[in-house]
Amino acid sequence: MKPEYKPFVDELIELCIREDIGDGDHTSLSCIPADEHGRMRLLCKQEGTIAGIEIAQLVLQRLDPEMKFEQILHDGDRVAPGDVAFYVSGRLRSLLQAERILLNIMQRMSGVATQTAVYVKRLEGLRTKVLDTRKTTPGMRVLDKMAVKIGGGENHRMGLFDMILLKDNHIDFAGGIRPAIEGVRRYLAAKGKTIPIECEVRTLEDIDEVFAAGGVDRIMFDNFTPEMTRRAVEKVAGRCETESSGGITLDTMRDYAECGVDFISVGAVSLKKKSLDMSLKACE
């Protein structure tokens, strides 16, 4: 886990516990003795890429530091029905409290990782990387970002705070590409910040404007055709990173990658994922 992700993860785990347990797991408290111990296993029931084992450990530690965790698989492993990811033993009340929180997180993350791996596979043999986006469920972004990385993709910015991305609305409201970029540079200098700058372009002529304004760290080609993308990459000529975005699907992304772009951002890796089926059940 990236160190900068840890505060988000800790806060999310706390929210999950408050949301699910509230003032107590009254079902377990009413019928399970406090000193009763047992063992459970995480069973995979569907083929895919598993993700969230690291987070599952954090959930278990938060609920009961005395639980014992026996890890079999690792985040990023390919799994098939019947594979066991890990065993965990401890107080039954703690295990039962952890069950749904742990499964919700792992099923979602594994779904994102599995979906990402499909997109990454489509670009096999090319240097272009698959990027995620900010199109995530509110509050769950950190898990989606981690899952994309586990699935073989790369992370775009976490939020509005760790990268400047001048999109069409920023550019239009600022009065054009040049005043937008110049405004960014003045702002960063005044604040003493060194975060990267990306600028969206809508035409090939916009690329010239970007470099006339002093250039940026990355240019995003928004809703370009593959032919426009090829010409755009040639025009940039390695002076900064390049990214394709907008309307790119699994079926068309290789056409864009073959144009030589560094990155292709795809919202579908987090938006259109299907949770991976798994269960946490009692065992010997």
Side-chain angles (χ1 to χ4, degrees):
M1 182 193 311
K2 294 181 179 179
E4 59 266 33
Y5 285 0
K6 188 65 163 57
F8 293 107
V9 171
D10 289 342
E11 187 175 343
L12 181 56
I13 289 174
E14 288 297 325
L15 175 60
C16 290
I17 291 171
R18 291 198 308 271
E19 175 185 64
D20 202 41
I21 299 176
D23 69 348
D25 172 12
H26 299 303
T27 308
S28 298
L29 291 172
S30 63
C31 64
I32 303 296
D35 59 352
E36 195 76 16
H37 284 62
R39 189 168 184 245
M40 301 181 84
R41 64 178 181 176
L42 193 291
L43 182 67
C44 302
K45 302 168 71 175
Q46 191 176 354
E47 186 177 345
T49 299
I50 196 163
I53 296 175
E54 179 185 10
I55 306 301
Q57 287 182 267
L58 294 175
V59 171
L60 292 164
Q61 290 169 8
R62 168 61 183 80
L63 286 170
D64 188 344
E66 294 184 9
M67 282 197 275
K68 293 180 174 56
F69 192 85
E70 181 186 345
Q71 186 167 344
I72 307 299
L73 300 178
H74 296 85
D75 285 331
D77 286 347
R78 291 291 299 177
V79 296
D83 287 346
V84 175
F86 59 78
Y87 295 90
V88 59
S89 56
R91 296 182 182 87
L92 288 184
R93 287 182 177 178
S94 299
L95 292 172
L96 292 167
Q97 288 172 358
E99 179 185 354
R100 179 45 53 194
I101 297 171
L102 185 155
L103 284 173
N104 284 348
I105 289 172
M106 287 198 62
Q107 287 181 292
R108 178 189 179 88
M109 289 186 68
S110 297
V112 173
T114 299
Q115 175 84 331
T116 302
V118 172
Y119 280 78
V120 170
K121 179 73 173 176
R122 187 58 60 96
L123 300 186
E124 192 171 38
L126 302 176
R127 67 181 185 85
T128 307
K129 303 296 184 183
V130 176
L131 279 182
D132 54 25
T133 69
R134 286 168 53 236
K135 297 174 183 177
T136 57
T137 301
M140 304 295 289
R141 182 176 299 168
V142 65
L143 299 185
D144 288 349
K145 293 281 184 181
M146 292 177 68
V148 165
K149 192 72 173 175
I150 290 168
E154 297 293 333
N155 296 145
H156 207 293
R157 57 182 179 167
M158 179 65 182
L160 299 174
F161 56 88
D162 58 343
M163 183 180 193
I164 285 179
L165 174 49
L166 294 167
K167 294 181 70 66
D168 52 359
N169 283 333
H170 300 96
I171 291 166
D172 290 343
F173 283 132
I177 287 175
R178 184 162 198 145
I181 293 175
E182 290 174 347
V184 165
R185 295 199 181 283
R186 287 193 300 270
Y187 173 85
L188 293 178
K191 296 293 183 181
K193 290 184 174 293
T194 56
I195 57 179
I197 306 169
E198 181 170 7
C199 184
E200 181 180 284
V201 296
R202 289 169 279 187
T203 67
L204 293 171
E205 291 71 28
D206 284 349
I207 296 171
D208 295 325
E209 275 202 67
V210 171
F211 288 112
V216 292
D217 298 289
R218 185 186 301 171
I219 292 177
M220 176 191 289
F221 309 134
D222 182 47
N223 287 301
F224 279 29
T225 64
E227 174 57 24
M228 286 178 65
T229 302
R230 183 188 62 76
R231 293 169 60 192
V233 169
E234 291 174 354
K235 185 180 278 281
V236 171
R239 288 177 286 177
C240 68
E241 293 179 338
T242 56
E243 176 185 339
S244 287
S245 181
I248 300 172
T249 68
L250 185 62
D251 292 332
T252 63
M253 67 186 302
R254 192 171 180 92
D255 294 335
Y256 285 87
E258 287 174 345
C259 296
V261 291
D262 297 304
F263 304 100
I264 295 177
S265 51
V266 185
V269 294
S270 56
L271 282 177
K272 297 183 179 180
K273 58 94 182 74
K274 294 182 179 179
S275 294
L276 208 67
D277 194 14
M278 57 186 68
S279 64
L280 188 65
K281 296 294 186 183
C283 64
E284 295 296 327

